[in-house]
Amino acid sequence: MSKKNQQFFDTIYRQCYPMVLQMCLGFMKGDTDIANDLSQEVFINIWKAIDKFKGKSSSKTWVYRITVNTCLQYIRKEKKKSNIPLEKIEGILADEHSGSKTEQDQSLYRAIGKLEKIDRLIIMMVLEGQDYDNISNVLGIQPTNVRVKIHRIKKRLKKILDNEQ
Amino acid sequence: MNNEFDDLQRKWQKNKEQIRNEPMAMDTMLAAVTKKKASTIRFQYGNIVVLLITLVVISLFFYYIAPVQQILSRIGVGLMIGGLFLRIIIEFISIIKSKKVDIVNNVLSTTQETINYYNFRKRIHGPITVIIILLYTIGFYMITPEFSLYFSTWQMILINTSYIIAAAIFIPIIRKSVKQEVKTLHEIIELKEKIIAESVS
């Protein structure tokens, strides 16, 4: 990797790590260990694809695409490959995170986790403050269709949260 | 509903800030990512390396240790080595195809590319894997008549039994992995239908 790309990767990592980890947490129903592993996978994919970034979309939209695709690919990939032992360091990291999470935070992730996989990712992009155009760019469907989808997902999420209370 | 959603959004952003305020955790994670990059590449080519080593060992065995003389045996060796070679070529093609699944594309395109990849895997697992196993087995049993000239009966029984045991172990493993990949294919097709179906309804 060239020095320029290394710098770009570092910048993306600093800017997007909280977003990526949180989306992984929501996708994995608040399981910190798996979410850490998955976010590592996302950054490995970003690292592999860094040469392909042409700047046609913003770097954030680009990271969203990789994050969403990696999450959707992750479960089937994990079924196939043998477990790579997690570094001891990650255990410490997981403890740090789980220690800082309140029951309320976990319930948000658990509620999101009750949605369909693709719906989890869409609603998390909405929670991230992404507009319909950006979400449609990530998904590859029309913005008007994204609007319909989001409306339905919000209704489903409300129902889940109401049932939990 | 909007107020409730705004609350969720605030909670979401607050959680994100908590993560951002743990620079130590970020650095540790970056170190783990760097370490894991290498093992990912090793995993991808691991299968090919194992198959290549097997191919080399078998080839050396039949060249230096047990150079068979009869035409039937030589064809048998050819079938065994040919089957393995075909398998290695297919593994290479499989890696090339998997690289075509571009994670940078939008979800719909990536899903379609993944479907194409798993359809290819399904084709390999179906007739091609069966043909390779058959080639290998036929090749193996074509060598045994000549082997029986050099080995005692009990040694031949041992050789044949070990082959059957190996087949009994590996065939269920292969079948399980085929079933898993077909299941995965159906899951991805379902995912694609979900992305499209709801958006046009």
Side-chain angles (χ1 to χ4, degrees):
Chain A
M1 192 191 273
S2 70
K3 205 178 169 186
K4 196 180 151 199
N5 280 348
Q6 182 66 54
Q7 278 173 347
F8 182 47
F9 178 80
D10 287 345
T11 311
I12 286 181
Y13 181 79
R14 303 279 161 203
Q15 280 174 359
C16 301
Y17 167 76
M19 174 275 280
V20 170
L21 180 61
Q22 209 177 9
M23 282 191 70
C24 294
L25 275 165
F27 189 70
M28 290 301 176
K29 307 176 185 185
D31 187 319
T32 319
D33 282 351
I34 305 175
N36 275 327
D37 198 36
L38 178 54
S39 43
Q40 281 184 27
E41 200 77 31
V42 171
F43 281 105
I44 288 169
N45 283 335
I46 291 172
W47 173 76
K48 281 184 192 164
I50 210 129
D51 289 332
K52 292 180 190 166
F53 181 72
K54 304 286 179 224
K56 283 179 187 167
S57 56
S58 74
S59 59
K60 222 166 179 188
T61 305
W62 188 72
V63 172
Y64 275 116
R65 278 186 184 182
I66 296 177
T67 306
V68 171
N69 278 322
T70 308
C71 285
L72 291 170
Q73 304 258 346
Y74 185 73
I75 295 175
R76 44 185 176 266
K77 216 173 149 193
E78 280 310 290
K79 280 178 195 165
K80 267 170 61 182
K81 78 179 178 191
S82 58
N83 284 332
I84 297 166
L86 292 173
E87 288 78 359
K88 283 179 188 169
I89 240 163
E90 285 182 66
I92 301 162
L93 184 67
D95 291 342
E96 279 175 24
H97 280 302
S98 54
S100 66
K101 293 226 171 339
T102 62
E103 179 53 31
Q104 217 182 11
D105 300 337
Q106 288 295 326
S107 70
L108 172 62
Y109 297 133
R110 274 201 302 269
I112 292 170
K114 283 183 182 165
L115 295 166
E116 294 269 3
K117 281 177 201 158
I118 186 75
D119 293 352
R120 284 176 221 167
L121 294 159
I122 294 172
I123 204 67
M124 286 190 286
M125 282 191 276
V126 179
L127 288 168
E128 277 291 317
Q130 293 300 299
D131 59 27
Y132 295 139
D133 281 342
N134 266 351
I135 298 175
S136 89
N137 191 313
V138 172
L139 294 180
I141 56 175
Q142 291 298 314
T144 45
N145 295 330
V146 170
R147 189 190 298 264
V148 176
K149 253 182 179 309
I150 289 171
H151 181 69
R152 287 182 188 164
I153 301 168
K154 277 185 179 176
K155 269 166 92 176
R156 272 177 224 149
L157 187 62
K158 186 183 180 315
K159 214 172 160 185
I160 293 167
L161 289 166
D162 287 347
N163 286 340
E164 279 200 348
Q165 280 165 3
Chain B
M1 191 161 79
N2 276 342
N3 282 345
E4 281 177 4
F5 197 76
D6 289 343
D7 281 346
L8 279 181
Q9 207 155 18
R10 270 193 292 276
K11 206 190 275 182
W12 181 266
Q13 294 301 336
K14 207 180 114 201
N15 287 1
K16 203 162 80 172
E17 276 314 302
Q18 272 181 6
I19 298 172
R20 200 184 295 281
N21 292 331
E22 289 175 15
M24 272 290 284
M26 281 179 72
D27 287 338
T28 324
M29 176 69 100
L30 183 60
V33 168
T34 314
K35 210 169 171 185
K36 208 172 170 183
K37 281 177 208 164
S39 68
T40 311
I41 295 166
R42 277 200 299 270
F43 173 78
Q44 207 168 27
Y45 291 96
N47 267 351
I48 292 182
V49 171
V50 170
L51 286 169
L52 272 173
I53 292 170
T54 314
L55 182 78
V56 170
V57 169
I58 289 181
S59 303
L60 290 176
F61 174 80
F62 284 115
Y63 193 80
Y64 291 108
I65 299 168
V68 286
Q69 304 298 320
Q70 294 175 1
I71 291 176
L72 185 75
S73 306
R74 286 184 176 171
I75 295 170
V77 171
L79 287 178
M80 285 174 80
I81 291 173
L84 261 176
F85 190 67
L86 188 62
R87 182 81 199 127
I88 291 167
I89 303 259
I90 286 169
E91 278 298 323
F92 264 117
I93 297 171
S94 194
I95 288 181
I96 292 166
K97 293 249 179 200
S98 78
K99 283 186 195 280
K100 282 189 180 160
V101 178
D102 198 348
I103 215 137
V104 171
N105 283 338
N106 64 54
V107 178
L108 202 57
S109 307
T110 307
T111 307
Q112 186 53 53
E113 285 161 3
T114 314
I115 291 172
N116 296 343
Y117 170 70
Y118 277 98
N119 269 327
F120 165 75
R121 298 283 302 175
K122 200 177 154 188
R123 279 200 298 276
I124 295 174
H125 283 318
I128 298 177
T129 302
V130 174
I131 289 170
I132 290 172
I133 293 172
L134 273 177
L135 280 180
Y136 199 86
T137 306
I138 293 168
F140 177 81
Y141 284 104
M142 282 170 88
I143 300 167
T144 47
E146 189 177 340
F147 267 21
S148 63
L149 300 175
Y150 317 124
F151 291 105
S152 63
T153 311
W154 72 266
Q155 279 174 321
M156 282 311 292
I157 291 170
L158 203 69
I159 291 169
N160 281 302
T161 315
S162 63
Y163 189 82
I164 292 164
I165 291 171
I169 293 168
F170 286 112
I171 288 173
I173 295 173
I174 294 168
R175 276 192 64 175
K176 199 181 160 195
S177 109
V178 174
K179 275 187 180 173
Q180 184 56 55
E181 289 203 358
V182 171
K183 197 179 155 207
T184 303
L185 176 64
H186 289 143
E187 278 173 17
I188 313 163
I189 292 170
E190 208 178 295
L191 171 72
K192 191 191 165 192
E193 280 167 359
K194 268 179 201 152
I195 299 170
I196 300 168
E198 227 181 350
S199 65
V200 292
S201 60

